[in-house]
Amino acid sequence: MITYQIVQPNNYEQVLKLKNYCFRPAYEGERLEDFMHWVNVSTIQGAFDQEELVSQLIILPLRMTVFEVPYDMGGIGFVSTYPEYRNAGIMKQVLLRSLEAMRERGQLLSVLSPFSVSFYRHF
């Protein structure tokens, strides 16, 4: 059974493992340090199959200025799902929960550079 929750620090190794699986090459050195900094200051929405993190996205806490008005913004990044869990609606649930959490925190804007615009369009 899939459960959805905010990923806690004790699961950050799984965050890195899933990111490295979906985004090549694996980060090393300064790039890995930078990624881990963002992991530590961001909110990570995840889907777990028992104890295994199988899907995730990272909500980066950013600010964006639009027409000289600053807004809190959730930058969505590192959207990742293991292949055997794709096409089951899991990422849809992760995205919906993330959007709800951002709204509750007053992050009224979100930015994502998708690989597939059609997949994300209805969100």
Side-chain angles (χ1 to χ4, degrees):
M1 182 167 112
I2 301 298
T3 59
Y4 300 91
Q5 63 192 49
I6 300 298
V7 178
Q8 299 302 312
N10 62 319
N11 286 308
Y12 286 174
E13 274 298 315
Q14 290 193 67
V15 169
L16 181 60
K17 180 182 172 189
L18 179 53
K19 193 272 323 155
N20 284 341
Y21 181 84
C22 293
F23 297 93
R24 305 267 179 187
Y27 291 170
E28 297 177 348
E30 288 181 11
R31 198 158 187 204
L32 176 58
E33 289 176 29
D34 185 55
F35 176 75
M36 292 311 295
H37 163 76
W38 285 107
V39 165
N40 284 302
V41 300
S42 299
T43 301
I44 304 168
Q45 183 71 48
F48 288 82
D49 186 354
Q50 297 184 37
E51 299 293 317
E52 181 184 12
L53 179 65
V54 298
S55 187
Q56 70 184 10
L57 65 75
I58 299 175
I59 306 169
L60 301 135
L62 304 171
R63 289 185 65 81
M64 177 180 269
T65 302
V66 179
F67 298 111
E68 300 182 26
V69 177
Y71 294 91
D72 287 333
M73 193 264 285
I76 297 177
F78 300 99
V79 179
S80 314
T81 303
Y82 285 118
E84 57 270 29
Y85 292 92
R86 294 179 187 160
N87 299 313
I90 295 171
M91 182 49 70
K92 178 180 181 178
Q93 288 302 312
V94 171
L95 276 164
L96 290 173
R97 291 163 193 268
S98 297
L99 293 171
E100 289 172 9
M102 285 186 282
R103 181 178 297 137
E104 289 172 5
R105 285 193 301 268
Q107 292 172 309
L108 302 177
L109 298 175
S110 183
V111 175
L112 167 71
S113 297
F115 69 92
S116 172
V117 173
S118 62
F119 176 80
Y120 295 99
R121 183 168 310 227
H122 69 279
F123 293 103

